[in-house]
Amino acid sequence: MVTRLHLRPSSTLGPACLVLMLAGGVARAASGAVAVYPLAAKAGVPQPTADLVTEALVNEVRASAVFSRVMSPRDMEAMGDQDAVRQCTSEACMLEMAGAFGADYALFGTVGQVGSSYLVNLKLMSVRELRIAGTASQRAAAASAESLLDATRPAVHSMLQQAGLMRASSKDRSQVATAPRKRLNPLLAGLGVGGVVAGLGAGVVSLACLAAAVAIRASLEVVPGSGR
């Protein structure tokens, strides 16, 4: 009596596992690293206020879940020289320093007051391509510094959308325009459910592949045969 092992591959879980692996890879893919420089204070805005806006800017960029790594001014100062980061104010210098830190993008800008309004200007540049990826200018009432902080979220979203790194729904745009103080869930801001998929992608892929492996193992059959 001879036994033959026949492998009966699953016609559904196998391809599904492959698709989920590819989808998981896409979900985990990010737009590289970005170096965020201190916003330059212009007329009507003291530098300490500009520094607070810079911190809000860093938080909003991180909440967008667009980049795999967000380097704040403090991060760069810890890796290099504090004075060098502060004194690096030209685009050429910031791009060169960002590249030295391993960043794919450099983000910088200004914050100032124009009449009765604050104005936040942002510019995102590609370090490798030496080109402007996206820009944004956001106005806010100069009644209080709080309104200036509120301007960072729509400015970040507008810049990332222009760069093609973020896709926002009409509902998201409506909430940003009509209720700037209503904070969205960081995972849902920017990429919508994309942030959730990125967080759960690895687990889904692992479970799907495990299920496929179990199905293949169960399909092993011992078939009696005749020997000579």
Side-chain angles (χ1 to χ4, degrees):
M1 181 71 69
V2 180
T3 60
R4 292 175 297 167
L5 293 179
H6 288 264
L7 179 62
R8 185 176 60 200
S10 170
S11 60
T12 56
L13 288 180
C17 179
L18 177 60
V19 170
L20 284 173
M21 287 176 66
L22 294 175
V26 172
R28 291 192 301 272
S31 300
V34 60
V36 183
Y37 288 89
L39 294 177
K42 296 299 182 180
V45 176
Q47 188 59 51
T49 301
D51 291 339
L52 290 177
V53 179
T54 300
E55 292 182 11
L57 172 64
V58 171
N59 291 336
E60 293 296 346
V61 173
R62 284 176 175 160
S64 72
V66 168
F67 300 99
S68 59
R69 184 183 181 192
V70 179
M71 289 180 279
S72 68
R74 291 183 180 180
D75 294 332
M76 291 186 285
E77 289 170 0
M79 292 185 292
D81 180 81
Q82 179 176 359
D83 293 334
V85 175
R86 288 287 177 178
Q87 294 172 4
C88 188
T89 57
S90 68
E91 291 186 1
C93 178
M94 287 187 281
L95 288 171
E96 182 178 357
M97 182 176 291
F101 286 138
D104 302 282
Y105 293 91
L107 173 56
F108 47 89
T110 62
V111 54
Q113 184 174 351
V114 179
S116 59
S117 300
Y118 286 125
L119 183 62
V120 178
N121 293 313
L122 301 179
K123 181 183 291 187
L124 181 70
M125 292 195 67
S126 170
V127 173
R128 296 179 182 178
E129 300 177 7
L130 300 178
R131 66 173 180 85
I132 299 175
T135 61
S137 293
Q138 185 70 33
R139 287 181 177 271
S144 66
E146 185 178 5
S147 63
L148 183 56
L149 296 177
D150 287 333
T152 57
R153 168 166 292 192
V156 168
H157 285 199
S158 176
M159 176 192 67
L160 294 177
Q161 290 165 24
Q162 186 184 114
L165 301 175
M166 171 185 284
R167 182 175 296 177
S169 66
S170 58
K171 181 178 180 181
D172 291 334
R173 289 193 294 268
S174 176
Q175 287 179 323
V176 170
T178 60
R181 285 300 298 165
K182 185 177 181 180
R183 297 300 183 184
L184 301 179
N185 188 310
L187 285 176
L188 300 181
L191 290 181
V193 296
V196 177
V197 173
L200 300 179
V204 172
V205 171
S206 299
L207 290 176
C209 292
L210 178 60
V214 171
I216 292 174
R217 181 182 180 88
S219 67
L220 290 175
E221 296 178 345
V222 178
V223 181
S226 60
R228 292 182 180 180

